[in-house]
């Protein structure tokens, strides 16, 4: 699906900003990461996007390549970030076909709503494996190539749930806390070798898969009680995340390292103990016995 440039990129960035650069993006066919990829490719980069669904990944790669004449975008489907060999093969192919890897976005993630009581060990492990092991595998697979770049950069797409805790999101909160920790370790260990390692933590971003799951119908309406609870008074957009990505990968972000850049309109500052759109649940009633909840 084609999008107008204004959907994924602000007009402040100069053309050719990323000429000659190559980006490797896991989760690259998703609603956020595909827009990050579009922004980078539009500004001159070539890219390799990774996904599990072959057809969806191939289609996304073609759509992204269309934003700039002459752009090269490789779509590698059937690639599971939980499989280290899959990622190594994908990173090696990207470097061979596109000439290297300068930028990495670790964006593959899993999410669903569940209270701890209803969360099975396998369900918890699934999210930890995709988010944490997948991020680790991405780092391991791409670092040999990234270290050869004159401008090595890594961004991890995280979240803000673990800053305060979030009901029904214990699995994701634990996973994203680990992702943030990996980001810091890479900054400490590879910063001396020129690598900038940072997190982008999106808030409530309208029109994304995550918002559809967590926000319900209220998350689809720009004017809603949920949006009003955000200090900036509105939901974010995929362009907000893409612009943050451009900033961190550009020269403007040269001295930003080991940082979690929160892009959420200040939402995490008043993150309620339970905020899942208009799902019908009320906090704390949903976690109490029925007779107690009525008190």
């Amino acid at each position: 699906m084609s999008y107008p440039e204004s959907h994924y990129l602000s007009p402040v960035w100069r053309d050719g900003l990323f000429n000659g650069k190559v980006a490797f993006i896991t989760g690259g066919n998703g609603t956020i990461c595909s827009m990050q990829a579009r922004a980078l490719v539009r500004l001159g980069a070539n890219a390799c996007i990774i996904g599990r669904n072959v057809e969806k990944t191939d289609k996304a790669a073609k759509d992204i390549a269309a934003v700039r004449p002459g752009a090269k975008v490789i779509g590698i489907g059937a690639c599971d970030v939980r499989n280290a060999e899959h990622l190594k093969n994908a990173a090696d192919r990207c470097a061979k076909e596109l000439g290297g890897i300068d930028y990495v976005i670790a964006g593959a993630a899993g999410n669903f709503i569940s209270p701890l009581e209803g969360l099975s060990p396998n369900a918890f492990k699934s999210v930890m494996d995709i988010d944490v092991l997948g991020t680790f595998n991405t780092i391991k697979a791409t670092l040999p190539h990234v270290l050869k770049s004159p401008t090595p950069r890594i961004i991890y797409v995280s979240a803000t749930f673990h800053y305060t805790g979030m009901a029904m999101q214990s699995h994701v909160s634990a996973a994203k806390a680990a992702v943030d920790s990996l980001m810091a370790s890479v900054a400490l260990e590879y910063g001396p070798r020129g690598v900038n390692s940072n997190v982008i933590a999106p808030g409530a971003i309208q029109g994304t898969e995550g918002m559809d799951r967590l926000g319900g119908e209220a998350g689809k309406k720009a004017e809603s009680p949920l949006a009003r609870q955000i200090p900036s008074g509105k939901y974010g957009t995929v362009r907000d995340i893409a612009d943050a990505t451009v900033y961190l990968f550009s020269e403007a972000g040269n001295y930003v390292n080991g940082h979690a850049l929160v892009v959420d309109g200040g939402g995490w500052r008043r993150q309620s103990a339970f905020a899942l759109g208009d799902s019908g649940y009320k906090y704390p009633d949903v976690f109490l016995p029925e007779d107690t909840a009525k008190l």
Side-chain angles (χ1 to χ4, degrees), residues 18-93:
F18 297 125
N19 280 356
K21 302 299 182 182
V22 175
F24 182 92
I25 304 167
T26 66
N29 59 21
T31 46
I32 284 182
C33 294
S34 66
M35 297 304 164
Q36 292 173 294
R38 277 178 170 81
L40 298 175
V41 172
R42 168 61 184 82
L43 295 175
N46 292 321
C48 178
I49 65 169
I50 308 302
R52 279 194 285 176
N53 185 300
V54 174
E55 183 179 355
K56 186 178 178 182
T57 304
D58 287 344
K59 185 177 185 301
K62 292 175 182 176
D63 288 344
I64 293 166
V67 304
R68 177 175 57 82
K72 297 179 181 178
V73 180
I74 301 170
I76 302 180
C79 184
D80 189 336
V81 296
R82 296 170 291 186
N83 186 308
E85 186 177 359
H86 283 190
L87 275 174
K88 182 183 183 304
N89 291 340
D92 289 348
R93 177 183 166 188

Side-chain angles (χ1 to χ4, degrees), residues 15-264:
D15 285 345
L17 184 63
F18 297 125
N19 280 356
K21 302 299 182 182
V22 175
F24 182 92
I25 304 167
T26 66
N29 59 21
T31 46
I32 284 182
C33 294
S34 66
M35 297 304 164
Q36 292 173 294
R38 277 178 170 81
L40 298 175
V41 172
R42 168 61 184 82
L43 295 175
N46 292 321
C48 178
I49 65 169
I50 308 302
R52 279 194 285 176
N53 185 300
V54 174
E55 183 179 355
K56 186 178 178 182
T57 304
D58 287 344
K59 185 177 185 301
K62 292 175 182 176
D63 288 344
I64 293 166
V67 304
R68 177 175 57 82
K72 297 179 181 178
V73 180
I74 301 170
I76 302 180
C79 184
D80 189 336
V81 296
R82 296 170 291 186
N83 186 308
E85 186 177 359
H86 283 190
L87 275 174
K88 182 183 183 304
N89 291 340
D92 289 348
R93 177 183 166 188
C94 175
K96 181 179 180 180
E97 295 188 20
L98 298 181
I101 298 175
D102 303 282
Y103 308 141
V104 175
I105 297 175
N111 194 3
F112 50 85
I113 296 171
S114 176
L116 270 169
E117 190 173 20
L119 189 63
S120 71
N122 280 341
F124 184 86
K125 183 178 184 297
S126 177
V127 172
M128 293 296 287
D129 282 352
I130 295 170
D131 287 39
V132 185
L133 180 61
T135 296
F136 174 79
N137 287 340
T138 300
I139 295 166
K140 292 282 285 185
T142 58
L143 265 176
H145 304 290
V146 169
L147 287 170
K148 298 175 184 177
S149 169
T151 56
R153 303 277 196 273
I154 304 175
I155 287 174
Y156 318 81
V157 181
S158 188
T160 64
F161 300 153
H162 54 292
Y163 299 174
T164 59
M166 178 66 80
M168 302 283 198
Q169 291 288 278
S170 60
H171 46 310
V172 178
S173 297
K176 294 306 187 183
V179 168
D180 287 9
S181 184
L182 282 170
M183 172 274 290
S185 293
V186 173
L188 288 166
E189 295 184 23
Y190 292 94
R193 297 175 67 178
V195 177
N196 280 13
S197 169
N198 295 291
V199 150
I200 289 178
I205 306 299
Q206 196 166 27
T208 62
E209 296 168 11
M211 191 64 171
D212 287 347
R213 290 193 185 98
L214 303 182
E217 288 302 314
K220 299 176 183 178
K221 302 172 183 176
E223 300 293 331
S224 77
L226 275 182
R228 291 188 63 199
Q229 291 177 32
I230 299 169
S232 289
K234 61 182 180 179
Y235 295 130
T237 67
V238 289
R239 190 176 81 172
D240 294 323
I241 308 304
D243 281 338
T245 303
V246 174
Y247 160 63
L248 288 175
F249 280 163
S250 74
E251 290 185 21
N254 277 352
Y255 204 52
V256 182
N257 195 12
H259 179 66
L261 177 58
V262 180
V263 186
D264 79 335

